[in-house]
Amino acid sequence: MIERIYILENVDPVTFYGVNNSNMQLIKTLFPKLRIVARGNVMKVIGEEEESELFLKKIREIEKYCEDYNSLTEEVILDIVKGVQPNVVKQENLIIHGMNGKAIVARTENQQNLVKAFDENDLVFAIGPAGSGKTFVAIALAVRALKNKEVRKIILSRPAVEAGEKLGFLPGEMKDKLDPYLQPLYDALQDMIPAAKLKEYMENNVIQIAPLAFMRGRTLNDAVIILDEAQNTTTHQIKMFLTRLGMNAKMLVTGDITQIDLPPTTTSGLIQAMNILKGVKGIGRIEFTKKDIVRHKLVQRIVEAYDKFDEKRKKETKEVKEQAEQKRENK
């Protein structure tokens, strides 16, 4: 009799063990000669060496499946233990499997273009209207790179600019102050990473929150760095951010140039950066349109209505200026 220890490193124990430990009970049934004790992410196995080695081999395969698909069923466990390849339905344009095995795919042509641009470039600008999925796809690509061990960390940043209202000073530590601004990024992460694993990543700085103000002087290596709502950066902020890119790192910059919350006299760093860096080798640029909006169908109609209103207002302003100029000339 020998005792072996196995640690679940890459999966959420709750998902792995199943509801009411149903998956663990099945595994114990399939290996009746072994005494198996599981607590948290640690499994202790006592039994004959040959049987223990077979158990550990199968557990590694089961863990790998659970890591890849973020789900685990009794049918999959039975297939793996029997040596049968689990039946997996292939999804077209799949990025990763999210919570409960939900397939996260690039749904529109421009989302697919963003995936391709990320694979081919180290810096990608993704610009477009609200609801086009640019931030969600960016997070999915970062999580995929982390799961595939292509990078060691994900770094998230977002300008702390209120959308038209002043919130005043927020209580708490730095993370507490930034959380309200970063909530959309957290929402996306929670759709892709189990809660326990996400908490572990945050505590171990595998997923980091990096305020723009504290980025100066850093070199970001082995990471996917995401700057969201980049239209609200100043020209100095975005230049400083873009020059943080280190070795084996990729940067995704997302924004919507129709929703700038900066003071009217301040130039958006995103607009300036896209003009300056246009045509630079190694930089991708994807421009989403209203056709890419994947939220509620009303969102597309709202965006279109505001676009028409803005066009009408610009036309009226132009006519007023022309009339004023004509009056001055007549005088």
Side-chain angles (χ1 to χ4, degrees):
M1 290 281 189
I2 61 168
E3 180 181 304
R4 303 289 292 273
I5 300 292
Y6 186 82
I7 299 175
L8 297 169
E9 295 182 343
N10 303 312
V11 297
D12 177 24
V14 175
T15 305
F16 187 88
Y17 295 145
V19 179
N20 297 323
N21 283 330
S22 57
N23 291 342
M24 199 65 236
Q25 293 301 327
L26 175 60
I27 291 170
K28 288 180 179 180
T29 303
L30 295 170
F31 292 91
K33 297 178 183 178
L34 298 175
R35 183 171 172 235
I36 305 166
V37 180
R39 285 197 183 134
N41 66 334
V42 179
M43 299 175 68
K44 184 189 292 183
V45 186
I46 302 170
E48 297 296 331
E49 185 172 1
E50 188 177 343
E51 187 75 6
S52 297
E53 285 296 330
L54 176 63
F55 170 81
L56 293 175
K57 178 177 179 292
K58 294 300 180 182
I59 284 295
R60 288 189 197 99
E61 293 177 18
I62 294 170
E63 182 185 16
K64 182 68 171 65
Y65 179 95
C66 188
E67 180 187 2
D68 290 343
Y69 297 100
N70 251 336
S71 68
L72 188 61
T73 63
E74 294 182 4
E75 290 78 10
V76 168
I77 294 170
L78 285 168
D79 284 344
I80 292 174
V81 172
K82 289 176 184 176
V84 178
Q85 187 70 25
N87 184 28
V88 178
V89 178
K90 289 187 177 181
Q91 293 277 348
E92 194 175 357
N93 301 316
L94 176 73
I95 302 174
I96 57 167
H97 284 89
M99 290 300 296
N100 301 316
K102 179 185 176 183
I104 294 174
V105 300
R107 293 169 60 181
T108 69
E109 185 179 350
N110 275 324
Q111 288 185 6
Q112 293 162 25
N113 290 337
L114 177 55
V115 174
K116 186 179 179 184
F118 178 80
D119 292 336
E120 295 175 351
N121 301 279
D122 289 337
L123 170 59
V124 180
F125 289 96
I127 315 302
S132 54
K134 54 191 183 295
T135 300
F136 192 78
V137 172
I139 295 283
L141 290 168
V143 173
R144 185 187 71 178
L146 184 65
K147 288 183 74 171
N148 292 343
K149 295 181 171 56
E150 296 166 12
V151 296
R152 292 190 292 110
K153 56 195 171 188
I154 296 172
I155 298 171
L156 307 174
S157 193
R158 205 172 193 239
V161 178
E162 292 101 340
E165 56 183 318
K166 300 297 180 183
L167 302 178
F169 291 105
L170 297 173
E173 299 177 354
M174 182 178 70
K175 181 180 177 299
D176 301 318
K177 295 176 187 293
L178 287 166
D179 276 354
Y181 301 104
L182 293 161
Q183 194 57 50
L185 305 183
Y186 287 133
D187 291 343
L189 286 168
Q190 287 164 0
D191 281 344
M192 301 172 202
I193 302 174
K197 197 68 185 174
L198 180 57
K199 183 181 178 184
E200 179 189 325
Y201 281 154
M202 299 289 287
E203 289 173 350
N204 295 332
N205 283 329
V206 174
I207 295 179
Q208 300 177 19
I209 307 303
L212 275 174
F214 292 177
M215 293 284 276
R216 189 174 296 281
R218 294 187 69 182
T219 301
L220 306 174
N221 298 316
D222 299 308
V224 176
I225 309 117
I226 295 175
L227 175 60
D228 191 36
E229 298 291 346
Q231 76 275 6
N232 288 329
T233 58
T234 65
T235 55
H236 297 295
Q237 282 177 328
I238 199 161
K239 180 184 176 184
M240 180 269 293
F241 179 86
L242 295 175
T243 53
R244 301 306 95 200
L245 190 65
M247 301 301 293
N248 189 40
K250 285 180 178 278
M251 191 173 277
L252 283 157
V253 179
T254 67
D256 178 2
I257 57 176
T258 67
Q259 295 192 42
I260 298 172
D261 300 311
L262 294 168
T265 55
T266 305
T267 303
S268 168
L270 177 61
I271 294 174
Q272 187 191 67
M274 286 196 303
N275 290 332
I276 292 172
L277 300 175
K278 190 173 183 180
V280 174
K281 188 178 179 181
I283 298 178
R285 175 172 171 164
I286 306 299
E287 296 190 22
F288 290 78
T289 67
K290 289 172 284 190
K291 293 179 181 178
D292 295 300
I293 294 175
V294 290
R295 285 184 190 163
H296 193 287
K297 58 186 178 182
L298 271 178
V299 175
Q300 184 170 346
R301 296 175 194 165
I302 290 168
V303 171
E304 288 173 350
Y306 270 91
D307 284 348
K308 287 179 182 177
F309 174 77
D310 289 339
E311 287 174 12
K312 183 180 177 183
R313 190 167 61 175
K314 285 177 184 176
K315 187 178 179 182
E316 290 172 351
T317 303
K318 185 180 177 182
E319 288 175 354
V320 169
K321 285 183 179 178
E322 288 175 351
Q323 289 173 2
E325 287 176 5
Q326 196 168 15
K327 283 181 180 178
R328 280 197 297 269
E329 287 174 2
N330 291 337
K331 286 180 180 178

Short mmCIF file of all heavy atoms in Angstrom, two decimals, residues 87-135:
data_model
loop_
_atom_site.label_atom_id
_atom_site.label_comp_id
_atom_site.label_asym_id
_atom_site.label_seq_id
_atom_site.Cartn_x
_atom_site.Cartn_y
_atom_site.Cartn_z
N ASN A 87 -17.34 12.72 -26.44
CA ASN A 87 -17.99 13.31 -27.61
C ASN A 87 -18.14 14.82 -27.41
O ASN A 87 -18.89 15.26 -26.55
CB ASN A 87 -19.36 12.66 -27.83
CG ASN A 87 -20.03 13.16 -29.11
OD1 ASN A 87 -19.34 13.55 -30.04
ND2 ASN A 87 -21.35 13.15 -29.13
N VAL A 88 -17.42 15.59 -28.19
CA VAL A 88 -17.45 17.05 -28.07
C VAL A 88 -17.93 17.64 -29.39
O VAL A 88 -17.38 17.33 -30.45
CB VAL A 88 -16.05 17.61 -27.73
CG1 VAL A 88 -16.11 19.12 -27.68
CG2 VAL A 88 -15.55 17.03 -26.42
N VAL A 89 -18.97 18.48 -29.30
CA VAL A 89 -19.49 19.14 -30.50
C VAL A 89 -18.57 20.33 -30.82
O VAL A 89 -18.39 21.23 -29.99
CB VAL A 89 -20.93 19.63 -30.29
CG1 VAL A 89 -21.43 20.37 -31.53
CG2 VAL A 89 -21.84 18.46 -29.95
N LYS A 90 -17.98 20.34 -32.01
CA LYS A 90 -17.08 21.42 -32.39
C LYS A 90 -17.86 22.67 -32.74
O LYS A 90 -18.81 22.62 -33.51
CB LYS A 90 -16.21 20.98 -33.57
CG LYS A 90 -15.17 19.93 -33.18
CD LYS A 90 -14.22 19.67 -34.34
CE LYS A 90 -13.14 18.67 -33.92
NZ LYS A 90 -12.18 18.40 -35.02
N GLN A 91 -17.45 23.79 -32.14
CA GLN A 91 -18.09 25.08 -32.40
C GLN A 91 -17.25 25.89 -33.37
O GLN A 91 -16.04 26.02 -33.21
CB GLN A 91 -18.23 25.85 -31.07
CG GLN A 91 -19.20 25.24 -30.09
CD GLN A 91 -20.63 25.65 -30.39
OE1 GLN A 91 -20.88 26.55 -31.18
NE2 GLN A 91 -21.57 24.98 -29.76
N GLU A 92 -17.92 26.44 -34.37
CA GLU A 92 -17.21 27.28 -35.34
C GLU A 92 -16.86 28.61 -34.70
O GLU A 92 -17.65 29.18 -33.94
CB GLU A 92 -18.09 27.50 -36.57
CG GLU A 92 -17.35 28.08 -37.75
CD GLU A 92 -18.22 28.18 -38.99
OE1 GLU A 92 -19.39 27.75 -38.92
OE2 GLU A 92 -17.73 28.69 -40.00
N ASN A 93 -15.66 29.12 -34.95
CA ASN A 93 -15.17 30.40 -34.42
C ASN A 93 -15.12 30.42 -32.89
O ASN A 93 -15.32 31.47 -32.26
CB ASN A 93 -16.03 31.56 -34.93
CG ASN A 93 -16.04 31.65 -36.44
OD1 ASN A 93 -15.00 31.54 -37.07
ND2 ASN A 93 -17.22 31.81 -37.03
N LEU A 94 -14.85 29.25 -32.30
CA LEU A 94 -14.75 29.16 -30.84
C LEU A 94 -13.51 29.88 -30.34
O LEU A 94 -12.43 29.76 -30.91
CB LEU A 94 -14.70 27.68 -30.42
CG LEU A 94 -14.50 27.41 -28.93
CD1 LEU A 94 -15.76 27.72 -28.15
CD2 LEU A 94 -14.08 25.96 -28.69
N ILE A 95 -13.67 30.64 -29.24
CA ILE A 95 -12.51 31.27 -28.58
C ILE A 95 -12.13 30.43 -27.36
O ILE A 95 -11.04 29.90 -27.28
CB ILE A 95 -12.82 32.73 -28.18
CG1 ILE A 95 -13.23 33.55 -29.41
CG2 ILE A 95 -11.59 33.36 -27.51
CD1 ILE A 95 -13.69 34.96 -29.09
N ILE A 96 -13.06 30.31 -26.41
CA ILE A 96 -12.87 29.45 -25.23
C ILE A 96 -14.23 28.94 -24.78
O ILE A 96 -15.27 29.39 -25.27
CB ILE A 96 -12.19 30.19 -24.05
CG1 ILE A 96 -13.02 31.43 -23.66
CG2 ILE A 96 -10.75 30.52 -24.32
CD1 ILE A 96 -12.63 32.03 -22.34
N HIS A 97 -14.21 28.03 -23.82
CA HIS A 97 -15.44 27.61 -23.14
C HIS A 97 -15.55 28.37 -21.82
O HIS A 97 -14.60 28.37 -21.02
CB HIS A 97 -15.44 26.10 -22.88
CG HIS A 97 -15.72 25.30 -24.11
ND1 HIS A 97 -14.72 24.87 -24.96
CD2 HIS A 97 -16.89 24.85 -24.65
CE1 HIS A 97 -15.26 24.19 -25.96
NE2 HIS A 97 -16.57 24.17 -25.81
N GLY A 98 -16.67 29.03 -21.62
CA GLY A 98 -16.89 29.80 -20.42
C GLY A 98 -17.50 28.96 -19.32
O GLY A 98 -17.37 27.74 -19.28
N MET A 99 -18.18 29.63 -18.39
CA MET A 99 -18.79 28.95 -17.26
C MET A 99 -19.81 27.91 -17.72
O MET A 99 -20.55 28.15 -18.68
CB MET A 99 -19.47 29.98 -16.34
CG MET A 99 -18.46 30.86 -15.60
SD MET A 99 -17.36 29.89 -14.55
CE MET A 99 -18.55 29.23 -13.38
N ASN A 100 -19.80 26.77 -17.02
CA ASN A 100 -20.71 25.66 -17.31
C ASN A 100 -20.56 25.15 -18.75
O ASN A 100 -21.50 24.61 -19.33
CB ASN A 100 -22.17 26.06 -17.06
CG ASN A 100 -22.40 26.50 -15.63
OD1 ASN A 100 -21.92 25.86 -14.70
ND2 ASN A 100 -23.11 27.59 -15.44
N GLY A 101 -19.35 25.34 -19.30
CA GLY A 101 -19.08 24.81 -20.63
C GLY A 101 -19.65 25.62 -21.77
O GLY A 101 -19.60 25.19 -22.93
N LYS A 102 -20.18 26.81 -21.47
CA LYS A 102 -20.77 27.64 -22.52
C LYS A 102 -19.71 28.05 -23.54
O LYS A 102 -18.64 28.55 -23.18
CB LYS A 102 -21.40 28.90 -21.90
CG LYS A 102 -22.02 29.83 -22.93
CD LYS A 102 -22.52 31.11 -22.27
CE LYS A 102 -23.04 32.10 -23.30
NZ LYS A 102 -23.47 33.38 -22.68
N ALA A 103 -19.99 27.83 -24.81
CA ALA A 103 -19.04 28.16 -25.87
C ALA A 103 -19.06 29.67 -26.11
O ALA A 103 -20.10 30.25 -26.39
CB ALA A 103 -19.40 27.42 -27.14
N ILE A 104 -17.90 30.30 -25.99
CA ILE A 104 -17.76 31.72 -26.28
C ILE A 104 -17.13 31.83 -27.67
O ILE A 104 -15.98 31.43 -27.87
CB ILE A 104 -16.90 32.41 -25.22
CG1 ILE A 104 -17.64 32.37 -23.87
CG2 ILE A 104 -16.58 33.86 -25.62
CD1 ILE A 104 -16.85 32.88 -22.70
N VAL A 105 -17.90 32.32 -28.60
CA VAL A 105 -17.47 32.34 -30.00
C VAL A 105 -17.45 33.77 -30.53
O VAL A 105 -18.09 34.66 -29.98
CB VAL A 105 -18.41 31.48 -30.89
CG1 VAL A 105 -18.42 30.03 -30.42
CG2 VAL A 105 -19.84 32.04 -30.86
N ALA A 106 -16.70 33.96 -31.60
CA ALA A 106 -16.72 35.23 -32.32
C ALA A 106 -17.95 35.23 -33.21
O ALA A 106 -18.01 34.51 -34.21
CB ALA A 106 -15.44 35.39 -33.15
N ARG A 107 -18.96 36.03 -32.85
CA ARG A 107 -20.27 35.90 -33.47
C ARG A 107 -20.41 36.68 -34.78
O ARG A 107 -21.20 36.31 -35.63
CB ARG A 107 -21.34 36.36 -32.48
CG ARG A 107 -21.45 35.42 -31.28
CD ARG A 107 -22.32 36.00 -30.17
NE ARG A 107 -23.68 36.26 -30.59
CZ ARG A 107 -24.61 36.79 -29.79
NH1 ARG A 107 -24.30 37.10 -28.55
NH2 ARG A 107 -25.82 37.00 -30.24
N THR A 108 -19.68 37.76 -34.91
CA THR A 108 -19.82 38.58 -36.12
C THR A 108 -18.50 38.57 -36.90
O THR A 108 -17.46 38.14 -36.39
CB THR A 108 -20.18 40.03 -35.77
OG1 THR A 108 -19.05 40.65 -35.12
CG2 THR A 108 -21.39 40.09 -34.85
N GLU A 109 -18.54 39.08 -38.11
CA GLU A 109 -17.34 39.09 -38.95
C GLU A 109 -16.23 39.92 -38.32
O GLU A 109 -15.06 39.52 -38.33
CB GLU A 109 -17.69 39.66 -40.34
CG GLU A 109 -16.52 39.60 -41.32
CD GLU A 109 -16.87 40.14 -42.69
OE1 GLU A 109 -18.06 40.39 -42.95
OE2 GLU A 109 -15.93 40.32 -43.50
N ASN A 110 -16.59 41.07 -37.73
CA ASN A 110 -15.55 41.91 -37.13
C ASN A 110 -15.00 41.31 -35.83
O ASN A 110 -13.83 41.52 -35.50
CB ASN A 110 -16.08 43.32 -36.88
CG ASN A 110 -15.95 44.20 -38.11
OD1 ASN A 110 -14.99 44.08 -38.87
ND2 ASN A 110 -16.92 45.06 -38.34
N GLN A 111 -15.84 40.57 -35.09
CA GLN A 111 -15.32 39.85 -33.93
C GLN A 111 -14.31 38.79 -34.38
O GLN A 111 -13.27 38.59 -33.74
CB GLN A 111 -16.46 39.22 -33.15
CG GLN A 111 -17.31 40.22 -32.38
CD GLN A 111 -18.37 39.56 -31.51
OE1 GLN A 111 -18.43 38.34 -31.39
NE2 GLN A 111 -19.23 40.36 -30.91
N GLN A 112 -14.61 38.11 -35.49
CA GLN A 112 -13.67 37.13 -36.04
C GLN A 112 -12.39 37.82 -36.52
O GLN A 112 -11.29 37.29 -36.35
CB GLN A 112 -14.34 36.38 -37.19
CG GLN A 112 -15.50 35.48 -36.76
CD GLN A 112 -16.42 35.09 -37.90
OE1 GLN A 112 -16.02 35.07 -39.06
NE2 GLN A 112 -17.68 34.81 -37.58
N ASN A 113 -12.55 39.01 -37.08
CA ASN A 113 -11.38 39.78 -37.52
C ASN A 113 -10.52 40.18 -36.32
O ASN A 113 -9.28 40.23 -36.43
CB ASN A 113 -11.81 41.03 -38.28
CG ASN A 113 -12.42 40.71 -39.63
OD1 ASN A 113 -12.16 39.65 -40.20
ND2 ASN A 113 -13.24 41.61 -40.15
N LEU A 114 -11.16 40.48 -35.18
CA LEU A 114 -10.41 40.84 -33.97
C LEU A 114 -9.58 39.65 -33.48
O LEU A 114 -8.43 39.82 -33.08
CB LEU A 114 -11.38 41.33 -32.89
CG LEU A 114 -10.75 41.68 -31.52
CD1 LEU A 114 -9.63 42.70 -31.69
CD2 LEU A 114 -11.82 42.20 -30.57
N VAL A 115 -10.18 38.46 -33.51
CA VAL A 115 -9.45 37.25 -33.11
C VAL A 115 -8.23 37.06 -34.01
O VAL A 115 -7.11 36.79 -33.53
CB VAL A 115 -10.37 36.01 -33.18
CG1 VAL A 115 -9.57 34.73 -32.91
CG2 VAL A 115 -11.51 36.13 -32.18
N LYS A 116 -8.42 37.23 -35.30
CA LYS A 116 -7.32 37.07 -36.26
C LYS A 116 -6.25 38.13 -36.05
O LYS A 116 -5.04 37.84 -36.07
CB LYS A 116 -7.88 37.15 -37.69
CG LYS A 116 -6.84 36.85 -38.77
CD LYS A 116 -7.47 36.92 -40.15
CE LYS A 116 -6.43 36.65 -41.24
NZ LYS A 116 -6.99 36.80 -42.60
N ALA A 117 -6.67 39.37 -35.83
CA ALA A 117 -5.72 40.47 -35.62
C ALA A 117 -4.90 40.25 -34.35
O ALA A 117 -3.70 40.55 -34.31
CB ALA A 117 -6.47 41.81 -35.55
N PHE A 118 -5.54 39.71 -33.31
CA PHE A 118 -4.84 39.43 -32.05
C PHE A 118 -3.76 38.37 -32.27
O PHE A 118 -2.67 38.45 -31.70
CB PHE A 118 -5.85 38.96 -31.01
CG PHE A 118 -5.24 38.60 -29.68
CD1 PHE A 118 -4.90 39.59 -28.76
CD2 PHE A 118 -5.01 37.27 -29.33
CE1 PHE A 118 -4.34 39.26 -27.53
CE2 PHE A 118 -4.46 36.93 -28.11
CZ PHE A 118 -4.12 37.93 -27.21
N ASP A 119 -4.08 37.36 -33.08
CA ASP A 119 -3.10 36.30 -33.36
C ASP A 119 -1.92 36.80 -34.18
O ASP A 119 -0.80 36.28 -34.04
CB ASP A 119 -3.79 35.14 -34.10
CG ASP A 119 -4.79 34.39 -33.22
OD1 ASP A 119 -4.64 34.46 -31.99
OD2 ASP A 119 -5.71 33.76 -33.77
N GLU A 120 -2.16 37.82 -35.01
CA GLU A 120 -1.13 38.26 -35.95
C GLU A 120 -0.35 39.49 -35.49
O GLU A 120 0.71 39.79 -36.04
CB GLU A 120 -1.78 38.56 -37.31
CG GLU A 120 -2.38 37.33 -37.98
CD GLU A 120 -3.12 37.67 -39.26
OE1 GLU A 120 -3.30 38.89 -39.54
OE2 GLU A 120 -3.51 36.73 -39.98
N ASN A 121 -0.86 40.22 -34.49
CA ASN A 121 -0.22 41.46 -34.05
C ASN A 121 -0.04 41.48 -32.53
O ASN A 121 -0.75 40.80 -31.80
CB ASN A 121 -1.07 42.67 -34.46
CG ASN A 121 -1.30 42.75 -35.95
OD1 ASN A 121 -0.47 43.22 -36.70
ND2 ASN A 121 -2.47 42.27 -36.40
N ASP A 122 0.92 42.30 -32.08
CA ASP A 122 1.15 42.45 -30.64
C ASP A 122 0.36 43.62 -30.05
O ASP A 122 0.22 43.74 -28.84
CB ASP A 122 2.64 42.64 -30.36
CG ASP A 122 3.43 41.36 -30.59
OD1 ASP A 122 2.82 40.28 -30.52
OD2 ASP A 122 4.64 41.45 -30.85
N LEU A 123 -0.14 44.50 -30.90
CA LEU A 123 -0.98 45.62 -30.45
C LEU A 123 -2.17 45.73 -31.39
O LEU A 123 -2.00 45.77 -32.61
CB LEU A 123 -0.18 46.93 -30.45
CG LEU A 123 -0.97 48.22 -30.23
CD1 LEU A 123 -1.70 48.21 -28.90
CD2 LEU A 123 -0.04 49.44 -30.32
N VAL A 124 -3.38 45.75 -30.82
CA VAL A 124 -4.60 45.82 -31.62
C VAL A 124 -5.54 46.88 -31.05
O VAL A 124 -5.79 46.90 -29.84
CB VAL A 124 -5.34 44.45 -31.67
CG1 VAL A 124 -6.61 44.57 -32.52
CG2 VAL A 124 -4.44 43.36 -32.21
N PHE A 125 -6.02 47.75 -31.92
CA PHE A 125 -7.07 48.71 -31.56
C PHE A 125 -8.40 48.13 -32.01
O PHE A 125 -8.55 47.73 -33.17
CB PHE A 125 -6.84 50.06 -32.26
CG PHE A 125 -5.68 50.84 -31.73
CD1 PHE A 125 -4.44 50.78 -32.35
CD2 PHE A 125 -5.82 51.65 -30.61
CE1 PHE A 125 -3.36 51.51 -31.88
CE2 PHE A 125 -4.75 52.38 -30.12
CZ PHE A 125 -3.52 52.31 -30.74
N ALA A 126 -9.38 48.09 -31.09
CA ALA A 126 -10.72 47.63 -31.42
C ALA A 126 -11.69 48.76 -31.10
O ALA A 126 -11.94 49.07 -29.93
CB ALA A 126 -11.08 46.38 -30.63
N ILE A 127 -12.21 49.38 -32.13
CA ILE A 127 -13.02 50.59 -31.98
C ILE A 127 -14.43 50.31 -32.48
O ILE A 127 -14.61 49.68 -33.52
CB ILE A 127 -12.43 51.76 -32.80
CG1 ILE A 127 -10.92 51.85 -32.60
CG2 ILE A 127 -13.12 53.08 -32.45
CD1 ILE A 127 -10.49 52.02 -31.18
N GLY A 128 -15.43 50.77 -31.73
CA GLY A 128 -16.80 50.56 -32.20
C GLY A 128 -17.84 50.94 -31.18
O GLY A 128 -17.52 51.29 -30.04
N PRO A 129 -19.11 50.87 -31.58
CA PRO A 129 -20.21 51.31 -30.70
C PRO A 129 -20.46 50.37 -29.53
O PRO A 129 -19.97 49.23 -29.51
CB PRO A 129 -21.42 51.31 -31.65
CG PRO A 129 -21.08 50.28 -32.69
CD PRO A 129 -19.60 50.37 -32.87
N ALA A 130 -21.23 50.85 -28.57
CA ALA A 130 -21.58 50.04 -27.40
C ALA A 130 -22.32 48.79 -27.84
O ALA A 130 -23.16 48.82 -28.74
CB ALA A 130 -22.47 50.87 -26.47
N GLY A 131 -21.99 47.66 -27.21
CA GLY A 131 -22.70 46.42 -27.48
C GLY A 131 -22.16 45.61 -28.63
O GLY A 131 -22.73 44.58 -28.99
N SER A 132 -21.04 46.04 -29.23
CA SER A 132 -20.50 45.31 -30.38
C SER A 132 -19.62 44.13 -29.96
O SER A 132 -19.14 43.39 -30.81
CB SER A 132 -19.73 46.25 -31.30
OG SER A 132 -18.74 46.97 -30.60
N GLY A 133 -19.38 43.98 -28.67
CA GLY A 133 -18.65 42.81 -28.17
C GLY A 133 -17.15 42.95 -28.17
O GLY A 133 -16.43 41.98 -27.92
N LYS A 134 -16.64 44.15 -28.41
CA LYS A 134 -15.18 44.33 -28.52
C LYS A 134 -14.47 44.03 -27.20
O LYS A 134 -13.43 43.35 -27.19
CB LYS A 134 -14.84 45.74 -29.02
CG LYS A 134 -15.46 46.85 -28.20
CD LYS A 134 -15.32 48.20 -28.88
CE LYS A 134 -15.87 49.32 -28.00
NZ LYS A 134 -17.34 49.20 -27.77
N THR A 135 -15.02 44.51 -26.08
CA THR A 135 -14.40 44.26 -24.77
C THR A 135 -14.53 42.80 -24.37
O THR A 135 -13.58 42.19 -23.88
CB THR A 135 -15.03 45.16 -23.70
OG1 THR A 135 -14.84 46.54 -24.07
CG2 THR A 135 -14.40 44.92 -22.34
#
